[in-house]
DNA sequence: TAGATTTGTGTAATCGATTACATGAAATCT
DNA sequence: AGATTTCATGTAATCGATTACACAAATCTA
């Protein structure tokens, strides 16, 4: 009645069995052309739609994949998800979204929910403060469900990942700032318990060392990714006896806050001070003083993650660790010499 | 073996039937405390997880809802989706994402896919160029699956919607520009075959009429929501014999493009020219010249849509048309008089 | 034309959980 | 003690689609 036609309804209408209907609909060779045609026509007439749940239950494949991110409404994550969706849609997969809000309990809960929903794969950018307890991740691996980390990964066996080369990005950026004549480079760090932030820190450190510039602990400030923290950090830096003349911020938002505050202090950018961000948030390009930053190719990252998943599903590769090249976007905020 | 415990496995282990196990797990009163305890312990020990697919197939409820948007990676849509997710997560629903890329065929396909997946509800912001043929929407209604339009709606019976008062937003903005001393107000319009753009246009028109300002057709330009179209539109406007001294753009991106181009022409904002956007994209606030715009409360819109869905599911209301208040954010780009 | 092969359908099990109904045992009542 | 109720559990159908196996009819082979 309310638009629910099953293969049994079609079978009854044609006085045949559901098995035959199923075969006709699935182009099974063991069926006569005449009945196939009849079934197809009747199915169409009765507006039959396959019930994916029944199919999923029987086949064990839901044709859904789950994506777990800290939050969906930032350009980076939304774009990665878009990439995943675009890569998987042609193959008939639907994407289920989960947010952790950077909460580890929520992350565990999300993984369990997705497993109960019988997803065929899980894409995940882990939350801050990674749990010691990897039990919930082990369970995914044990169930042989493809798990693909993107951006914020955790080094594990049997798990694929798609990231950019954060170390390289950071090294090159620091090198660039040095070449612009900045030797006193402050660094806004994310939570270094996450691999990507540790890698970025190492890149910064190594570039300084390679240029015989000593590390100044006062210049290294731990921040969260928002405007206010960037402003506050600048206040701290300017209060130093020997303040820096450049900032490399691992967050575009903090870089923006830093620029605002520097301007308020009458400091000229880039003449007196260079600033470099990370992430290529849309606004960095739009500012009157455009902000130099690093593009992480989120759309491409999502598409690549989708491909890694498909390769695994099709038994082409069991595990891939894809590392994309970061793209330095050198804009006004760090260009003294061009 | 690979981590798949069913109620049958538990039943076998305890030498009882699956029915009893099911009852124990569901707190059915018809069961003894002792067996319940035993089952619960064993289930825990065997790491049992309920198979949602089986449950969904039997109950007809998948505990999934679908969201159809033109694209996910813009602040507005990503935020609405976040709101929906946050509103529905506590109730145990998962959100499935679909993108139309503004393509109507893709929209039809997405609706069908979601129906086949037996979603319990569909949230949708329709694509441009709405189809004459509403058949695919009728089918949703006929199946009695809650359908909630947000932002870009279509007026229909038995369909709920959550929008802002676009007419009012537009009226107030135009009024504001007039109060700032601008009488020659250009208007960047979206596709007026969509209700929201038609409503916005009417608000603009009415405000002019109420202030005895004649409509100048040359000032009305149809644009797509991006920077380049804003720039191009300004070129056209400045080439007019009698160019405007204000722009009300129904897109923040186009407003940004307009500002860029106006500046290039040496025109001072807001002194010589006022600009007003729509949507409160993050960058509008961050600019050195902050852009006046209208906040659509996307997070709230998503949460409200989730609530509308829940009300329908729980038979509290059959159909709601929620209209949120727009928030004018009057910033530098339109502030001559403060 | 008898026997072998092909072809098209039907039968019934399966995926995992829930639940109306049946049943047997224990508990309660008269 | 016998009748009746209560309680806990088992039996089996159901949700919708797929598929191994069985079987009958049609076609082919020698």
């Amino acid at each position: 009645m309310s638009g629910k036609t099953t293969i049994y309804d079609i079978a009854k209408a044609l006085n045949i069995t559901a098995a035959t209907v199923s075969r006709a609909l699935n182009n099974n060779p063991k069926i006569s052309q005449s009945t196939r045609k009849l079934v197809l026509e009747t199915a169409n007439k009765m507006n039959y739609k396959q019930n994916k749940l029944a199919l999923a239950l029987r086949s064990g494949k839901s044709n859904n994949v789950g994506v777990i991110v800290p939050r969906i409404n930032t350009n980076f994550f939304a774009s990665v998800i878009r990439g995943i969706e675009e890569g998987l849609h042609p193959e008939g997969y639907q994407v289920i979204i989960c947010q952790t809000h950077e909460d580890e309990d929520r992350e565990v809960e999300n993984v369990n929910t997705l497993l109960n929903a019988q997803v065929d794969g899980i894409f995940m950018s882990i939350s801050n403060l990674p749990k010691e307890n990897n039990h919930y991740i082990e369970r995914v691996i044990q169930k042989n469900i493809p798990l693909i980390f993107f951006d914020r990964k955790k080094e594990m066996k049997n798990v694929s990942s798609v990231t950019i080369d954060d170390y390289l990005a950071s090294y090159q950026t620091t090198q660039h700032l040095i070449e612009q004549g900045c030797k006193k480079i402050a660094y806004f760090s994310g939570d270094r318990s996450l691999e990507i932030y540790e890698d970025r820190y190492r890149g910064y450190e190594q570039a300084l060392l390679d240029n015989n510039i000593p590390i100044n602990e006062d210049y290294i400030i731990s921040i969260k990714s928002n405007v206010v923290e960037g402003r506050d950090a600048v206040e701290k830096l300017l209060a130093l006896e020997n303040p820096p003349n450049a900032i490399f911020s691992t967050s575009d938002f903090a870089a923006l806050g830093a620029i605002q505050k520097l301007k308020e202090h009458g400091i000229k950018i880039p003449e007196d001070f260079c600033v470099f961000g990370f992430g290529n948030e849309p606004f960095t390009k739009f500012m009157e003083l455009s902000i130099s930053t690093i593009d992480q190719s989120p759309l491409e990252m999502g598409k690549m993650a989708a491909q890694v998943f498909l390769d695994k599903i099709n038994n082409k590769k069991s595990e891939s660790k894809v590392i994309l090249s970061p793209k330095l976007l050198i804009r006004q905020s760090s260009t003294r010499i061009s």
Side-chain angles (χ1 to χ4, degrees), chain A:
Chain A
M1 32 193 63
S2 63
K4 279 208 178 180
T5 309
T6 71
I7 53 170
Y8 295 94
D9 299 326
I10 299 175
K12 202 180 288 174
L14 294 176
N15 209 27
I16 55 178
T17 61
T20 305
V21 175
S22 174
R23 280 188 276 256
L25 293 170
N26 289 289
N27 274 331
N28 189 309
K30 296 172 146 200
I31 197 154
S32 71
Q33 286 303 319
S34 55
T35 40
R36 166 174 298 152
K37 201 178 161 214
L38 201 59
V39 168
L40 258 44
E41 280 170 7
T42 314
N44 203 38
K45 212 176 294 168
M46 297 178 75
N47 197 25
Y48 168 78
K49 301 281 174 198
Q50 188 188 48
N51 182 328
K52 296 278 183 195
L53 285 180
L55 181 60
L57 177 59
R58 178 161 217 275
S59 67
K61 310 205 92 281
S62 66
N63 275 285
N64 287 151
V65 299
V67 180
I68 302 175
V69 290
R71 72 203 69 83
I72 173 192
N73 60 335
T74 61
N75 182 64
F76 177 74
F77 290 118
S79 295
V80 175
I81 294 172
R82 174 170 179 158
I84 293 173
E85 208 269 353
E86 285 181 15
L88 259 30
H89 179 267
E91 306 296 322
Y93 288 95
Q94 299 291 313
V95 174
I96 295 177
I97 302 278
C98 299
Q99 301 182 79
T100 66
H101 300 283
E102 306 279 10
D103 179 63
E104 24 178 349
D105 293 335
R106 187 76 183 264
E107 184 164 300
V108 175
E109 182 204 326
N110 284 337
V111 169
N112 286 329
T113 308
L114 290 175
L115 288 181
N116 297 354
Q118 313 286 118
V119 292
D120 298 338
I122 295 180
F123 298 80
M124 172 158 153
S125 206
I126 59 174
S127 293
N128 281 318
L129 307 169
K131 256 204 152 74
E132 284 297 310
N133 178 358
N134 278 342
H135 195 63
Y136 68 109
I137 293 182
E138 300 288 356
R139 191 147 62 225
V140 179
I141 300 169
Q142 203 187 332
K143 285 203 174 195
N144 206 29
I145 294 182
L147 177 61
I148 297 108
F149 286 133
F150 61 90
D151 194 51
R152 301 165 163 210
K153 75 180 178 115
K154 205 180 252 187
E155 190 52 46
M156 291 183 80
K157 268 198 183 163
N158 297 314
V159 175
S160 296
S161 62
V162 181
T163 53
I164 62 160
D165 190 334
D166 284 282
Y167 172 87
L168 182 67
S170 199
Y171 187 96
Q172 288 180 339
T173 298
T174 310
Q175 185 70 38
H176 158 76
L177 289 171
I178 294 167
E179 283 163 11
Q180 296 297 309
C182 303
K183 302 224 163 182
K184 300 190 290 182
I185 304 171
Y187 179 79
F188 291 179
S189 175
D191 182 340
R192 275 166 59 189
S193 65
L194 280 173
E195 275 186 37
I196 55 166
Y197 290 118
E198 177 60 21
D199 288 349
R200 290 179 193 178
Y201 177 75
R202 286 193 306 102
Y204 161 76
E205 190 179 48
Q206 192 61 47
L208 290 184
L209 290 177
D210 289 354
N211 286 276
N212 298 311
I213 301 173
I215 309 284
N216 182 341
E217 289 293 338
D218 290 339
Y219 288 173
I220 295 161
I221 300 187
S222 186
I223 52 126
K224 287 197 178 120
S225 178
N226 65 54
V227 175
V228 173
E229 298 238 341
R231 297 175 63 95
D232 294 349
V234 165
E235 285 291 11
K236 276 186 215 157
L237 289 173
L238 294 183
L240 291 176
E241 246 175 65
N242 178 24
N245 57 8
I247 289 171
F248 174 23
S249 167
T250 52
S251 152
D252 276 338
F253 293 97
L256 172 63
I259 288 174
Q260 289 176 351
K261 185 60 89 175
L262 288 167
K263 281 190 174 174
E264 288 169 20
H265 278 269
I267 295 171
K268 286 202 176 123
I269 303 169
E271 296 81 356
D272 303 336
F273 208 109
C274 288
V275 178
F276 215 104
F278 207 118
N280 195 19
E281 280 290 323
F283 68 82
T284 56
K285 181 177 162 194
F286 296 148
M287 309 295 295
E288 278 84 345
L289 173 81
S290 60
I291 303 178
S292 297
T293 188
I294 294 149
D295 186 59
Q296 300 173 279
S297 321
L299 208 59
E300 207 182 314
M301 190 180 281
K303 284 183 185 168
M304 188 57 78
Q307 193 54 55
V308 167
F309 165 75
L310 293 172
D311 285 350
K312 171 114 191 218
I313 285 285
N314 299 324
N315 281 318
K316 283 195 194 147
K317 296 175 191 164
S318 72
E319 176 196 336
S320 332
K321 313 266 180 186
V322 177
I323 298 171
L324 302 173
S325 297
K327 297 193 192 81
L328 262 62
L329 301 174
I330 296 165
R331 301 201 182 112
Q332 293 170 31
S333 71
S334 75
T335 306
R336 287 180 182 172
I337 306 150
S338 53

